[in-house]
Amino acid sequence: MNFRISTMPVEEYSAAEWANFSTQVQDENLFLAMKYLKYALLLKPNNMSYQRKLAILLARMSRMEEAIEIFCKILDEDSEDRRSYKAMGETLLIQANQTGTIGWFSFFEATFLYRLIKGMDNPAPVIVELGSCFGLSSMIIAKALSDKPDATIYCIDAWEGDGSSVFDKTRDVVRNKAKEGISFFDMFSNNMKKAGVDYQLIPIKSYTTDLAKIWTEKADLIFVDADHSYTGVRNDVRDWKKFVKVGGQILLHDVALKCAGSSEDSAPGRVVNELLGANSKFSSGTLVDSLYLAERLR
Ligand SMILES: C[S@@+](CC[C@H](N)C(=O)[O-])C[C@H]1O[C@@H](n2cnc3c(N)ncnc32)[C@H](O)[C@@H]1O
């Protein structure tokens, strides 16, 4: 087959040479870099390294959704491809940042959460997020469920007006915005609108322990990321784990089971050991950076 593009036959160069040209020009002209990479992919469509380069280029051109789709396909083929794993997480966090949404996820955690949600078999999954803050995890969850209109995503947070329920640096952000007449909840809401996912989310302004007393719905996934004190995490896991369906999952953040430089487990780490360990109804878990995932077995 003889592909003719402009005046140059594609076969004049090898796929590797086109990919090399792409790398050489990409600081000056992203469109040209893209064109060369497409030639390389025309000759070697299944080459994972070219696909990854294409996804990274798309992200640099702010075409985040397309980039994420390609990263997902690469990782479906090879979930051990750490470079794609990291680059996809970076893309997800840049996408969130572009809407003003900040949070505390590592690149690996962002990718892990997105793929976990995207990979759910249930066409109408129920997700309960305890602790939404400015909406980083809410946004990742919603983006991953954009092709499942029957999914339900509850975003539960106290969104206290004085920011007293958040960490120090964040508290200042919340208090400064309050002076401009923008509440903590407005910040979440505005971010989700900018990200185009607000219609997918059901925010509930409440304390998690209060809400658990009247809650009835079972969930495919409960994500515990609210009060990070030992008592707070313990109460959340104690109150909410019964709402995970059998076969569903519980996810916790900041479970760095031995924090660097410390012999102490983090509060979420202690709670995992005490309430989700051996003899609980949950499987042993998977840890990705400090995200801990376990499945309810019975
Ligand atoms: C670490 S942040 C959540 C981060 C969020 N998941 C993300 O990815 O950006 C913790 C959030 O939990 C909320 N929170 C803390 N204690 C709470 C409680 N008892 N009930 C409800 N929300 C609470 C705080 O207001 C804060 O927004």
Side-chain angles (χ1 to χ4, degrees), residues 56-85:
I56 292 169
L57 263 182
L58 286 164
R60 286 184 67 189
M61 296 164 100
S62 284
R63 291 162 65 177
M64 304 311 198
E65 312 270 329
E66 292 165 79
I68 290 163
E69 204 180 317
I70 295 174
F71 284 130
C72 277
K73 277 192 198 139
I74 297 172
L75 290 170
D76 286 347
E77 289 277 313
D78 177 9
S79 61
E80 300 293 310
D81 179 13
R82 287 182 68 80
R83 278 197 278 181
S84 292
Y85 215 95

PDB file of all heavy atoms in Angstrom, residues 56-85:
ATOM      1  N   ILE A  56       0.606  11.835  25.143  1.00  0.00           N
ATOM      2  CA  ILE A  56       1.297  12.934  25.844  1.00  0.00           C
ATOM      3  C   ILE A  56       1.210  14.222  25.019  1.00  0.00           C
ATOM      4  O   ILE A  56       0.946  15.301  25.551  1.00  0.00           O
ATOM      5  CB  ILE A  56       2.762  12.543  26.161  1.00  0.00           C
ATOM      6  CG1 ILE A  56       2.778  11.434  27.220  1.00  0.00           C
ATOM      7  CG2 ILE A  56       3.564  13.744  26.646  1.00  0.00           C
ATOM      8  CD1 ILE A  56       4.118  10.765  27.464  1.00  0.00           C
ATOM      9  N   LEU A  57       1.356  14.078  23.696  1.00  0.00           N
ATOM     10  CA  LEU A  57       1.221  15.252  22.814  1.00  0.00           C
ATOM     11  C   LEU A  57      -0.186  15.844  22.891  1.00  0.00           C
ATOM     12  O   LEU A  57      -0.361  17.051  22.986  1.00  0.00           O
ATOM     13  CB  LEU A  57       1.474  14.838  21.360  1.00  0.00           C
ATOM     14  CG  LEU A  57       2.859  15.060  20.777  1.00  0.00           C
ATOM     15  CD1 LEU A  57       2.879  14.634  19.325  1.00  0.00           C
ATOM     16  CD2 LEU A  57       3.265  16.531  20.887  1.00  0.00           C
ATOM     17  N   LEU A  58      -1.181  14.959  22.858  1.00  0.00           N
ATOM     18  CA  LEU A  58      -2.576  15.428  22.940  1.00  0.00           C
ATOM     19  C   LEU A  58      -2.801  16.189  24.251  1.00  0.00           C
ATOM     20  O   LEU A  58      -3.449  17.238  24.280  1.00  0.00           O
ATOM     21  CB  LEU A  58      -3.548  14.242  22.843  1.00  0.00           C
ATOM     22  CG  LEU A  58      -3.701  13.644  21.440  1.00  0.00           C
ATOM     23  CD1 LEU A  58      -4.363  12.267  21.504  1.00  0.00           C
ATOM     24  CD2 LEU A  58      -4.514  14.566  20.536  1.00  0.00           C
ATOM     25  N   ALA A  59      -2.238  15.655  25.334  1.00  0.00           N
ATOM     26  CA  ALA A  59      -2.389  16.336  26.627  1.00  0.00           C
ATOM     27  C   ALA A  59      -1.725  17.706  26.575  1.00  0.00           C
ATOM     28  O   ALA A  59      -2.277  18.683  27.078  1.00  0.00           O
ATOM     29  CB  ALA A  59      -1.798  15.480  27.740  1.00  0.00           C
ATOM     30  N   ARG A  60      -0.552  17.771  25.942  1.00  0.00           N
ATOM     31  CA  ARG A  60       0.124  19.082  25.833  1.00  0.00           C
ATOM     32  C   ARG A  60      -0.692  20.064  25.011  1.00  0.00           C
ATOM     33  O   ARG A  60      -0.565  21.269  25.156  1.00  0.00           O
ATOM     34  CB  ARG A  60       1.516  18.905  25.214  1.00  0.00           C
ATOM     35  CG  ARG A  60       2.501  18.281  26.188  1.00  0.00           C
ATOM     36  CD  ARG A  60       3.884  18.200  25.596  1.00  0.00           C
ATOM     37  NE  ARG A  60       4.487  19.502  25.384  1.00  0.00           N
ATOM     38  CZ  ARG A  60       5.632  19.693  24.718  1.00  0.00           C
ATOM     39  NH1 ARG A  60       6.273  18.671  24.233  1.00  0.00           N
ATOM     40  NH2 ARG A  60       6.115  20.916  24.561  1.00  0.00           N
ATOM     41  N   MET A  61      -1.531  19.522  24.110  1.00  0.00           N
ATOM     42  CA  MET A  61      -2.395  20.388  23.304  1.00  0.00           C
ATOM     43  C   MET A  61      -3.743  20.625  23.989  1.00  0.00           C
ATOM     44  O   MET A  61      -4.692  21.078  23.354  1.00  0.00           O
ATOM     45  CB  MET A  61      -2.611  19.750  21.925  1.00  0.00           C
ATOM     46  CG  MET A  61      -1.334  19.624  21.117  1.00  0.00           C
ATOM     47  SD  MET A  61      -1.538  18.485  19.741  1.00  0.00           S
ATOM     48  CE  MET A  61      -1.777  19.626  18.409  1.00  0.00           C
ATOM     49  N   SER A  62      -3.833  20.244  25.262  1.00  0.00           N
ATOM     50  CA  SER A  62      -5.051  20.389  26.065  1.00  0.00           C
ATOM     51  C   SER A  62      -6.205  19.532  25.558  1.00  0.00           C
ATOM     52  O   SER A  62      -7.361  19.822  25.847  1.00  0.00           O
ATOM     53  CB  SER A  62      -5.508  21.848  26.141  1.00  0.00           C
ATOM     54  OG  SER A  62      -4.678  22.517  27.034  1.00  0.00           O
ATOM     55  N   ARG A  63      -5.887  18.482  24.807  1.00  0.00           N
ATOM     56  CA  ARG A  63      -6.945  17.545  24.359  1.00  0.00           C
ATOM     57  C   ARG A  63      -6.953  16.356  25.337  1.00  0.00           C
ATOM     58  O   ARG A  63      -6.605  15.236  25.001  1.00  0.00           O
ATOM     59  CB  ARG A  63      -6.675  17.138  22.914  1.00  0.00           C
ATOM     60  CG  ARG A  63      -6.906  18.328  21.969  1.00  0.00           C
ATOM     61  CD  ARG A  63      -6.270  18.153  20.615  1.00  0.00           C
ATOM     62  NE  ARG A  63      -6.836  17.054  19.834  1.00  0.00           N
ATOM     63  CZ  ARG A  63      -6.455  16.753  18.587  1.00  0.00           C
ATOM     64  NH1 ARG A  63      -5.547  17.480  17.980  1.00  0.00           N
ATOM     65  NH2 ARG A  63      -6.993  15.737  17.946  1.00  0.00           N
ATOM     66  N   MET A  64      -7.345  16.694  26.591  1.00  0.00           N
ATOM     67  CA  MET A  64      -7.191  15.761  27.706  1.00  0.00           C
ATOM     68  C   MET A  64      -8.022  14.485  27.544  1.00  0.00           C
ATOM     69  O   MET A  64      -7.544  13.393  27.819  1.00  0.00           O
ATOM     70  CB  MET A  64      -7.576  16.433  29.026  1.00  0.00           C
ATOM     71  CG  MET A  64      -6.829  17.698  29.323  1.00  0.00           C
ATOM     72  SD  MET A  64      -5.077  17.462  29.122  1.00  0.00           S
ATOM     73  CE  MET A  64      -4.408  18.821  29.996  1.00  0.00           C
ATOM     74  N   GLU A  65      -9.275  14.653  27.117  1.00  0.00           N
ATOM     75  CA  GLU A  65     -10.160  13.474  27.048  1.00  0.00           C
ATOM     76  C   GLU A  65      -9.594  12.442  26.062  1.00  0.00           C
ATOM     77  O   GLU A  65      -9.593  11.248  26.341  1.00  0.00           O
ATOM     78  CB  GLU A  65     -11.570  13.868  26.596  1.00  0.00           C
ATOM     79  CG  GLU A  65     -12.157  15.066  27.326  1.00  0.00           C
ATOM     80  CD  GLU A  65     -12.924  14.693  28.573  1.00  0.00           C
ATOM     81  OE1 GLU A  65     -13.503  13.612  28.585  1.00  0.00           O
ATOM     82  OE2 GLU A  65     -12.935  15.490  29.530  1.00  0.00           O
ATOM     83  N   GLU A  66      -9.112  12.946  24.907  1.00  0.00           N
ATOM     84  CA  GLU A  66      -8.544  12.024  23.910  1.00  0.00           C
ATOM     85  C   GLU A  66      -7.297  11.343  24.466  1.00  0.00           C
ATOM     86  O   GLU A  66      -7.079  10.148  24.257  1.00  0.00           O
ATOM     87  CB  GLU A  66      -8.162  12.784  22.634  1.00  0.00           C
ATOM     88  CG  GLU A  66      -9.336  13.315  21.850  1.00  0.00           C
ATOM     89  CD  GLU A  66      -8.871  14.361  20.832  1.00  0.00           C
ATOM     90  OE1 GLU A  66      -8.365  13.971  19.781  1.00  0.00           O
ATOM     91  OE2 GLU A  66      -9.012  15.565  21.127  1.00  0.00           O
ATOM     92  N   ALA A  67      -6.481  12.150  25.178  1.00  0.00           N
ATOM     93  CA  ALA A  67      -5.250  11.594  25.757  1.00  0.00           C
ATOM     94  C   ALA A  67      -5.600  10.491  26.756  1.00  0.00           C
ATOM     95  O   ALA A  67      -5.025   9.395  26.725  1.00  0.00           O
ATOM     96  CB  ALA A  67      -4.456  12.696  26.444  1.00  0.00           C
ATOM     97  N   ILE A  68      -6.573  10.770  27.603  1.00  0.00           N
ATOM     98  CA  ILE A  68      -6.930   9.798  28.655  1.00  0.00           C
ATOM     99  C   ILE A  68      -7.463   8.501  28.029  1.00  0.00           C
ATOM    100  O   ILE A  68      -7.156   7.398  28.476  1.00  0.00           O
ATOM    101  CB  ILE A  68      -7.931  10.437  29.645  1.00  0.00           C
ATOM    102  CG1 ILE A  68      -7.196  11.500  30.472  1.00  0.00           C
ATOM    103  CG2 ILE A  68      -8.571   9.395  30.563  1.00  0.00           C
ATOM    104  CD1 ILE A  68      -8.081  12.475  31.196  1.00  0.00           C
ATOM    105  N   GLU A  69      -8.231   8.659  26.954  1.00  0.00           N
ATOM    106  CA  GLU A  69      -8.763   7.462  26.275  1.00  0.00           C
ATOM    107  C   GLU A  69      -7.611   6.590  25.754  1.00  0.00           C
ATOM    108  O   GLU A  69      -7.644   5.358  25.898  1.00  0.00           O
ATOM    109  CB  GLU A  69      -9.660   7.915  25.122  1.00  0.00           C
ATOM    110  CG  GLU A  69     -10.676   6.864  24.742  1.00  0.00           C
ATOM    111  CD  GLU A  69     -11.565   7.334  23.597  1.00  0.00           C
ATOM    112  OE1 GLU A  69     -12.002   8.504  23.632  1.00  0.00           O
ATOM    113  OE2 GLU A  69     -11.791   6.525  22.682  1.00  0.00           O
ATOM    114  N   ILE A  70      -6.601   7.226  25.178  1.00  0.00           N
ATOM    115  CA  ILE A  70      -5.465   6.443  24.648  1.00  0.00           C
ATOM    116  C   ILE A  70      -4.689   5.788  25.799  1.00  0.00           C
ATOM    117  O   ILE A  70      -4.353   4.607  25.737  1.00  0.00           O
ATOM    118  CB  ILE A  70      -4.534   7.327  23.788  1.00  0.00           C
ATOM    119  CG1 ILE A  70      -5.281   7.798  22.545  1.00  0.00           C
ATOM    120  CG2 ILE A  70      -3.268   6.553  23.381  1.00  0.00           C
ATOM    121  CD1 ILE A  70      -4.527   8.798  21.698  1.00  0.00           C
ATOM    122  N   PHE A  71      -4.445   6.562  26.873  1.00  0.00           N
ATOM    123  CA  PHE A  71      -3.737   5.963  28.024  1.00  0.00           C
ATOM    124  C   PHE A  71      -4.502   4.738  28.537  1.00  0.00           C
ATOM    125  O   PHE A  71      -3.917   3.722  28.871  1.00  0.00           O
ATOM    126  CB  PHE A  71      -3.589   6.976  29.163  1.00  0.00           C
ATOM    127  CG  PHE A  71      -2.520   8.014  28.948  1.00  0.00           C
ATOM    128  CD1 PHE A  71      -2.798   9.360  29.119  1.00  0.00           C
ATOM    129  CD2 PHE A  71      -1.229   7.643  28.590  1.00  0.00           C
ATOM    130  CE1 PHE A  71      -1.806  10.324  28.939  1.00  0.00           C
ATOM    131  CE2 PHE A  71      -0.234   8.602  28.410  1.00  0.00           C
ATOM    132  CZ  PHE A  71      -0.528   9.946  28.581  1.00  0.00           C
ATOM    133  N   CYS A  72      -5.824   4.862  28.597  1.00  0.00           N
ATOM    134  CA  CYS A  72      -6.633   3.737  29.099  1.00  0.00           C
ATOM    135  C   CYS A  72      -6.450   2.508  28.219  1.00  0.00           C
ATOM    136  O   CYS A  72      -6.296   1.395  28.720  1.00  0.00           O
ATOM    137  CB  CYS A  72      -8.116   4.109  29.123  1.00  0.00           C
ATOM    138  SG  CYS A  72      -8.559   5.004  30.590  1.00  0.00           S
ATOM    139  N   LYS A  73      -6.465   2.720  26.902  1.00  0.00           N
ATOM    140  CA  LYS A  73      -6.295   1.572  25.986  1.00  0.00           C
ATOM    141  C   LYS A  73      -4.923   0.933  26.187  1.00  0.00           C
ATOM    142  O   LYS A  73      -4.802  -0.297  26.221  1.00  0.00           O
ATOM    143  CB  LYS A  73      -6.431   2.049  24.528  1.00  0.00           C
ATOM    144  CG  LYS A  73      -7.872   2.137  24.082  1.00  0.00           C
ATOM    145  CD  LYS A  73      -7.967   2.322  22.580  1.00  0.00           C
ATOM    146  CE  LYS A  73      -9.356   2.842  22.235  1.00  0.00           C
ATOM    147  NZ  LYS A  73      -9.365   3.874  21.219  1.00  0.00           N
ATOM    148  N   ILE A  74      -3.900   1.777  26.334  1.00  0.00           N
ATOM    149  CA  ILE A  74      -2.545   1.233  26.539  1.00  0.00           C
ATOM    150  C   ILE A  74      -2.524   0.400  27.830  1.00  0.00           C
ATOM    151  O   ILE A  74      -2.028  -0.720  27.860  1.00  0.00           O
ATOM    152  CB  ILE A  74      -1.491   2.365  26.644  1.00  0.00           C
ATOM    153  CG1 ILE A  74      -1.421   3.163  25.344  1.00  0.00           C
ATOM    154  CG2 ILE A  74      -0.122   1.792  26.998  1.00  0.00           C
ATOM    155  CD1 ILE A  74      -0.535   4.415  25.426  1.00  0.00           C
ATOM    156  N   LEU A  75      -3.117   0.945  28.894  1.00  0.00           N
ATOM    157  CA  LEU A  75      -3.065   0.257  30.190  1.00  0.00           C
ATOM    158  C   LEU A  75      -3.951  -0.989  30.209  1.00  0.00           C
ATOM    159  O   LEU A  75      -3.678  -1.928  30.950  1.00  0.00           O
ATOM    160  CB  LEU A  75      -3.432   1.228  31.322  1.00  0.00           C
ATOM    161  CG  LEU A  75      -2.362   2.300  31.568  1.00  0.00           C
ATOM    162  CD1 LEU A  75      -2.875   3.382  32.524  1.00  0.00           C
ATOM    163  CD2 LEU A  75      -1.079   1.690  32.120  1.00  0.00           C
ATOM    164  N   ASP A  76      -4.999  -0.997  29.382  1.00  0.00           N
ATOM    165  CA  ASP A  76      -5.802  -2.221  29.275  1.00  0.00           C
ATOM    166  C   ASP A  76      -4.963  -3.348  28.665  1.00  0.00           C
ATOM    167  O   ASP A  76      -5.116  -4.515  28.998  1.00  0.00           O
ATOM    168  CB  ASP A  76      -7.043  -1.986  28.406  1.00  0.00           C
ATOM    169  CG  ASP A  76      -8.091  -1.160  29.156  1.00  0.00           C
ATOM    170  OD1 ASP A  76      -7.942  -1.000  30.382  1.00  0.00           O
ATOM    171  OD2 ASP A  76      -9.032  -0.667  28.509  1.00  0.00           O
ATOM    172  N   GLU A  77      -4.054  -2.961  27.762  1.00  0.00           N
ATOM    173  CA  GLU A  77      -3.150  -3.943  27.133  1.00  0.00           C
ATOM    174  C   GLU A  77      -2.049  -4.358  28.095  1.00  0.00           C
ATOM    175  O   GLU A  77      -1.676  -5.506  28.172  1.00  0.00           O
ATOM    176  CB  GLU A  77      -2.454  -3.321  25.912  1.00  0.00           C
ATOM    177  CG  GLU A  77      -3.345  -3.080  24.714  1.00  0.00           C
ATOM    178  CD  GLU A  77      -3.508  -4.340  23.890  1.00  0.00           C
ATOM    179  OE1 GLU A  77      -2.486  -4.989  23.614  1.00  0.00           O
ATOM    180  OE2 GLU A  77      -4.657  -4.669  23.550  1.00  0.00           O
ATOM    181  N   ASP A  78      -1.513  -3.350  28.807  1.00  0.00           N
ATOM    182  CA  ASP A  78      -0.369  -3.608  29.686  1.00  0.00           C
ATOM    183  C   ASP A  78      -0.471  -2.724  30.933  1.00  0.00           C
ATOM    184  O   ASP A  78      -0.009  -1.587  30.933  1.00  0.00           O
ATOM    185  CB  ASP A  78       0.939  -3.312  28.925  1.00  0.00           C
ATOM    186  CG  ASP A  78       2.163  -3.501  29.815  1.00  0.00           C
ATOM    187  OD1 ASP A  78       2.022  -4.019  30.940  1.00  0.00           O
ATOM    188  OD2 ASP A  78       3.264  -3.112  29.378  1.00  0.00           O
ATOM    189  N   SER A  79      -1.093  -3.272  31.965  1.00  0.00           N
ATOM    190  CA  SER A  79      -1.333  -2.454  33.160  1.00  0.00           C
ATOM    191  C   SER A  79      -0.040  -2.148  33.918  1.00  0.00           C
ATOM    192  O   SER A  79      -0.027  -1.358  34.848  1.00  0.00           O
ATOM    193  CB  SER A  79      -2.335  -3.156  34.073  1.00  0.00           C
ATOM    194  OG  SER A  79      -1.792  -4.390  34.470  1.00  0.00           O
ATOM    195  N   GLU A  80       1.063  -2.791  33.515  1.00  0.00           N
ATOM    196  CA  GLU A  80       2.353  -2.557  34.186  1.00  0.00           C
ATOM    197  C   GLU A  80       3.143  -1.417  33.551  1.00  0.00           C
ATOM    198  O   GLU A  80       4.268  -1.139  33.964  1.00  0.00           O
ATOM    199  CB  GLU A  80       3.218  -3.831  34.128  1.00  0.00           C
ATOM    200  CG  GLU A  80       2.600  -5.046  34.787  1.00  0.00           C
ATOM    201  CD  GLU A  80       2.479  -4.870  36.277  1.00  0.00           C
ATOM    202  OE1 GLU A  80       3.469  -4.494  36.909  1.00  0.00           O
ATOM    203  OE2 GLU A  80       1.369  -5.076  36.806  1.00  0.00           O
ATOM    204  N   ASP A  81       2.584  -0.801  32.508  1.00  0.00           N
ATOM    205  CA  ASP A  81       3.324   0.275  31.835  1.00  0.00           C
ATOM    206  C   ASP A  81       3.327   1.525  32.730  1.00  0.00           C
ATOM    207  O   ASP A  81       2.445   2.371  32.661  1.00  0.00           O
ATOM    208  CB  ASP A  81       2.684   0.570  30.463  1.00  0.00           C
ATOM    209  CG  ASP A  81       3.407   1.699  29.734  1.00  0.00           C
ATOM    210  OD1 ASP A  81       4.515   2.068  30.150  1.00  0.00           O
ATOM    211  OD2 ASP A  81       2.841   2.221  28.758  1.00  0.00           O
ATOM    212  N   ARG A  82       4.335   1.616  33.571  1.00  0.00           N
ATOM    213  CA  ARG A  82       4.366   2.670  34.595  1.00  0.00           C
ATOM    214  C   ARG A  82       4.448   4.063  33.998  1.00  0.00           C
ATOM    215  O   ARG A  82       3.939   5.016  34.565  1.00  0.00           O
ATOM    216  CB  ARG A  82       5.549   2.435  35.559  1.00  0.00           C
ATOM    217  CG  ARG A  82       5.282   1.263  36.498  1.00  0.00           C
ATOM    218  CD  ARG A  82       6.417   1.064  37.455  1.00  0.00           C
ATOM    219  NE  ARG A  82       6.574   2.129  38.432  1.00  0.00           N
ATOM    220  CZ  ARG A  82       5.858   2.277  39.539  1.00  0.00           C
ATOM    221  NH1 ARG A  82       4.895   1.416  39.803  1.00  0.00           N
ATOM    222  NH2 ARG A  82       6.086   3.268  40.373  1.00  0.00           N
ATOM    223  N   ARG A  83       5.088   4.175  32.821  1.00  0.00           N
ATOM    224  CA  ARG A  83       5.198   5.515  32.229  1.00  0.00           C
ATOM    225  C   ARG A  83       3.827   6.040  31.821  1.00  0.00           C
ATOM    226  O   ARG A  83       3.493   7.205  32.026  1.00  0.00           O
ATOM    227  CB  ARG A  83       6.153   5.489  31.033  1.00  0.00           C
ATOM    228  CG  ARG A  83       7.593   5.571  31.519  1.00  0.00           C
ATOM    229  CD  ARG A  83       8.506   5.961  30.414  1.00  0.00           C
ATOM    230  NE  ARG A  83       8.838   4.787  29.615  1.00  0.00           N
ATOM    231  CZ  ARG A  83       9.638   4.798  28.573  1.00  0.00           C
ATOM    232  NH1 ARG A  83      10.177   5.913  28.163  1.00  0.00           N
ATOM    233  NH2 ARG A  83       9.898   3.680  27.922  1.00  0.00           N
ATOM    234  N   SER A  84       3.002   5.133  31.249  1.00  0.00           N
ATOM    235  CA  SER A  84       1.641   5.558  30.874  1.00  0.00           C
ATOM    236  C   SER A  84       0.800   5.808  32.122  1.00  0.00           C
ATOM    237  O   SER A  84      -0.012   6.732  32.177  1.00  0.00           O
ATOM    238  CB  SER A  84       0.957   4.494  30.010  1.00  0.00           C
ATOM    239  OG  SER A  84       1.599   4.423  28.772  1.00  0.00           O
ATOM    240  N   TYR A  85       1.000   4.961  33.118  1.00  0.00           N
ATOM    241  CA  TYR A  85       0.253   5.088  34.374  1.00  0.00           C
ATOM    242  C   TYR A  85       0.479   6.482  34.968  1.00  0.00           C
ATOM    243  O   TYR A  85      -0.450   7.197  35.346  1.00  0.00           O
ATOM    244  CB  TYR A  85       0.743   4.008  35.358  1.00  0.00           C
ATOM    245  CG  TYR A  85      -0.333   3.447  36.249  1.00  0.00           C
ATOM    246  CD1 TYR A  85      -1.011   2.279  35.940  1.00  0.00           C
ATOM    247  CD2 TYR A  85      -0.681   4.119  37.423  1.00  0.00           C
ATOM    248  CE1 TYR A  85      -1.997   1.781  36.766  1.00  0.00           C
ATOM    249  CE2 TYR A  85      -1.658   3.632  38.259  1.00  0.00           C
ATOM    250  CZ  TYR A  85      -2.318   2.454  37.922  1.00  0.00           C
ATOM    251  OH  TYR A  85      -3.295   1.962  38.732  1.00  0.00           O
TER     252      TYR A  85
END
